[in-house]
Amino acid sequence: MEFLDIPVFDDDFYKMLFRFSINMVVLTIIIRFLYYKYTKKQEYLFTYYMIGIIVFFICFTLKKFELDLGMALGLFAIFGILRYRTNTIGIKEMTYLFIVIGVSVINSLANKKMSLAELVLGNAIVIISIMVIERVWFSRQVITKRVVYDNIENIKPEDHESLKLELEEKLGLDIQQIVVNDVDFLQNTAKLTVHYYK
């Protein structure tokens, strides 16, 4: 059955719906439960979801046509030159954007040469990799803080431990490193950079 020479329905509809469901589940895990959990940034959630959805449907549509390699690479090069003019995107946000695009491409272009088990495993590996890197490797972030210290007697190398204990008690921080930036002998103060775990 056709309407204006366009098929009203074909069997690819169920494939599209199933793959789109997988894609949305994976995107939700990556965007909402991993990215947002660790960064607490809401401004990119809409962007990640919409880019993932649009890329999925573009790729699924392109798969229905016979494209040579040059045209396919040209179409994906468009994504490579896209940049947002309003704000600079951080490296982490750009990485998540690349993950969202990559996952959507994989989920939409999978064909008979790729089994469902391989598709699910590929998505699971991406999710597990993000979880391990975010939770295990970067679970504690090192933060820097500038401090004006009013007792230059304790900034000597031999008094480092007492300086660290005093600053930890006053600031309530788990200090990892202290760097002396500047010393003012007239004011009896020193400018320090304190590195501590968040």
Side-chain angles (χ1 to χ4, degrees):
M1 182 176 167
E2 294 184 352
F3 178 73
L4 297 176
D5 292 330
I6 300 172
V8 175
F9 182 85
D10 69 6
D11 293 337
D12 284 342
F13 175 81
Y14 297 115
K15 294 178 185 176
M16 182 188 75
L17 195 60
F18 178 70
R19 288 180 185 165
F20 181 71
S21 300
I22 291 176
N23 193 53
M24 287 305 295
V25 168
V26 173
L27 288 182
T28 300
I29 293 170
I30 291 172
I31 298 168
R32 183 63 183 85
F33 296 109
L34 294 176
Y35 170 77
Y36 180 71
K37 178 181 177 181
Y38 293 109
T39 64
K40 304 298 182 190
K41 294 182 181 178
Q42 294 183 357
E43 61 264 31
Y44 293 113
L45 297 185
F46 174 79
T47 303
Y48 289 157
Y49 270 114
M50 291 313 301
I51 286 180
I53 292 168
I54 293 301
V55 166
F56 176 87
F57 284 115
I58 287 173
C59 292
F60 193 87
T61 304
L62 292 177
K63 197 176 84 164
K64 309 253 313 175
F65 301 99
E66 293 295 328
L67 296 177
D68 63 355
L69 184 60
M71 185 174 178
L73 289 175
L75 287 168
F76 285 106
I78 295 171
F79 295 111
I81 61 173
L82 281 178
R83 57 187 297 242
Y84 296 97
R85 301 279 178 189
T86 54
N87 294 320
T88 303
I89 300 176
I91 293 174
K92 189 169 190 175
E93 280 70 30
M94 187 62 80
T95 303
Y96 270 99
L97 179 61
F98 182 72
I99 291 168
V100 166
I101 291 173
V103 164
S104 298
V105 169
I106 291 167
N107 289 333
S108 64
L109 293 180
N111 55 25
K112 292 180 180 178
K113 294 180 180 178
M114 186 177 199
S115 67
L116 181 60
E118 290 171 317
L119 184 65
V120 171
L121 179 63
N123 285 308
I125 288 173
V126 171
I127 291 169
I128 292 168
S129 299
I130 295 171
M131 288 174 65
V132 168
I133 292 169
E134 287 280 19
R135 185 175 294 174
V136 178
W137 291 351
F138 297 113
S139 60
R140 302 182 78 190
Q141 296 180 357
V142 177
I143 310 295
T144 59
K145 184 182 187 79
R146 292 189 174 259
V147 175
V148 177
Y149 185 63
D150 62 356
N151 185 6
I152 61 173
E153 293 299 321
N154 282 349
I155 64 171
K156 297 173 186 173
E158 59 267 21
D159 295 328
H160 178 75
E161 282 303 315
S162 60
L163 172 64
K164 182 181 175 187
L165 290 172
E166 183 182 348
L167 287 174
E168 284 183 338
E169 184 180 335
K170 286 183 177 180
L171 299 174
L173 302 173
D174 180 15
I175 295 174
Q176 299 304 305
Q177 183 183 9
I178 301 168
V179 177
V180 179
N181 296 320
D182 190 27
V183 179
D184 187 343
F185 291 101
L186 293 175
Q187 299 289 329
N188 197 34
T189 59
K191 293 180 180 177
L192 310 176
T193 300
V194 177
H195 301 265
Y196 63 94
Y197 281 134
K198 185 176 180 182

